[in-house]
Amino acid sequence: MSALANHAFVKMNGLGNEILVVDLRDGAAAPTGEEARAIHESGLRFDQLMTIEPARTADIATRIYNNDGSLSSACGNGTRCIAWLVMQETGKNRLVINSDAGPLIATAGAAPQTITVDMGVPRFGWNEIPLAEEFRDTRAIELQIGPIDAPVLHSPSVANVGNPHAIFWVDDVEVYDLGRFGPLLENHPIFPERANISLAHVTAPDALTLKVWERGAGLTRACGTAACAAAVSAARTRRTDRSVTVTLPGGPLHILWREEDDHILMTGPVETEFEGRFDPAIFAGSAA
Ligand SMILES: N[C@H](CCC[C@H](N)C(=O)O)C(=O)O
């Protein structure tokens, strides 16, 4: 029987990005990808499942599962959610969180239930995204979708902010069928680790609108790492300044790509929805 049978969880969201938090500081084993997918498919739906785990060299550690069971090294909205929970429990207003993308610093925001996370430094090298072949200028790579002579989407910027992202620059995020193009681009052979796919519409030097097809999760109401990737790509292609408000379907995030050290600071809200325990029947079919 799975170690998660009857285990507690907290359902949260960050701007509507659905996050299921599982606190494993009681020593319970982390779920397998198959178990994470089984939880989602049981009807307890999420975009990402995030664990809270003990850490020797940080306040906590976390593991991030997409709802298809794949692991991600970064999740901005989910990191705000787990940081907020631990801050409520400990009274701390600053936490160090060990993630597969490295240590993240979370601090309590000025407004209630807002958190700022230092998401680290973006990487732009073709082999850091990663891409399957060399591209010297990752501000616009040769990738398009649609007829060769009249591509629907083309020349995306790519960035890695703990996970791989491709951002297509458009004049209206709603006129493209991202639900149809997203999986084709997510799984394109140019992305050996797949990629998160965004449509970005720059509306002012300090503002852009974003719509995201997430790797391993599909269309979501918000994606923190996509907001970070789009903000730094907009700045490096001189479309915006380094401090922008990114408006997603679920609402706005503020992103600052700090000049002095190139760290990305993401600020946004968290919301707690409900708590529960996993029905053992969820895991009946999984190998564990
Ligand atoms: N929703 C998350 C991103 C999850 C990324 C995941 N889709 C992947 O990279 O595989 C966020 O707020 O950053």
Side-chain angles (χ1 to χ4, degrees):
M1 179 53 76
S2 166
L4 292 184
N6 297 309
H7 198 285
F9 65 80
V10 182
K11 176 64 175 50
M12 302 183 73
N13 74 80
L15 286 182
N17 194 189
E18 307 291 359
I19 306 293
L20 200 61
V21 179
V22 185
D23 189 340
L24 299 177
R25 289 176 292 177
D26 57 6
T32 62
E34 187 186 350
E35 288 174 325
R37 194 177 62 235
I39 292 168
H40 176 70
E41 290 173 356
S42 77
L44 189 50
R45 304 184 70 75
F46 58 84
D47 297 325
Q48 280 79 34
L49 182 155
M50 289 192 65
T51 65
I52 298 176
E53 301 184 36
R56 278 184 306 102
T57 57
D59 291 292
I60 57 171
T62 188
R63 231 179 290 232
I64 304 160
Y65 302 76
N66 289 311
N67 62 34
D68 71 350
S70 62
L71 283 169
S72 173
S73 300
C75 177
N77 288 317
T79 302
R80 292 201 315 278
C81 289
I82 63 171
W84 190 81
L85 279 184
V86 176
M87 287 179 184
Q88 298 312 301
E89 170 197 302
T90 61
K92 287 188 169 187
N93 60 16
R94 181 183 186 276
L95 292 175
V96 180
I97 301 168
N98 272 355
S99 73
D100 287 350
L104 304 172
I105 311 286
T107 51
Q113 294 206 216
T114 60
I115 301 285
T116 294
V117 180
D118 179 340
M119 296 294 287
V121 175
R123 288 171 292 154
F124 301 115
W126 68 273
N127 53 348
E128 296 177 302
I129 303 304
L131 300 177
E133 57 185 89
E134 181 170 354
F135 282 92
R136 278 182 351 90
D137 186 352
T138 56
R139 288 172 296 182
I141 69 167
E142 288 149 52
L143 173 62
Q144 63 184 48
I145 199 141
I148 292 290
D149 58 348
V152 176
L153 293 170
H154 64 86
S155 313
S157 301
V158 290
N160 184 297
V161 291
N163 55 355
H165 288 265
I167 298 96
F168 291 86
W169 307 104
V170 299
D171 295 332
D172 181 342
V173 300
E174 294 305 334
V175 302
Y176 300 87
D177 187 355
L178 190 55
R180 186 159 67 90
F181 294 128
L184 301 176
L185 290 163
E186 171 195 357
N187 295 287
H188 192 285
I190 193 73
F191 302 120
E193 294 178 10
R194 301 191 291 167
N196 295 279
I197 307 298
S198 291
L199 304 178
H201 174 204
V202 174
T203 54
D206 65 350
L208 61 92
T209 301
L210 202 66
K211 192 170 180 183
V212 188
W213 173 273
E214 285 197 35
R215 176 181 65 169
L219 288 172
T220 62
R221 301 268 305 140
C223 180
T225 49
C228 293
V232 299
S233 298
R236 77 188 283 248
T237 56
R238 308 242 183 280
R239 288 179 167 93
T240 64
D241 303 329
R242 294 174 69 110
S243 173
V244 290
T245 296
V246 178
T247 300
L248 295 128
L253 285 174
H254 183 262
I255 311 294
L256 169 65
W257 187 19
R258 200 161 52 193
E259 194 93 38
E260 51 271 36
D261 61 4
D262 269 349
H263 278 236
I264 307 169
L265 302 182
M266 170 199 61
T267 302
V270 299
E271 191 180 338
T272 303
E273 296 176 16
F274 59 89
E275 300 181 5
R277 290 187 178 275
F278 293 120
D279 178 344
I282 291 172
F283 309 106
S286 59

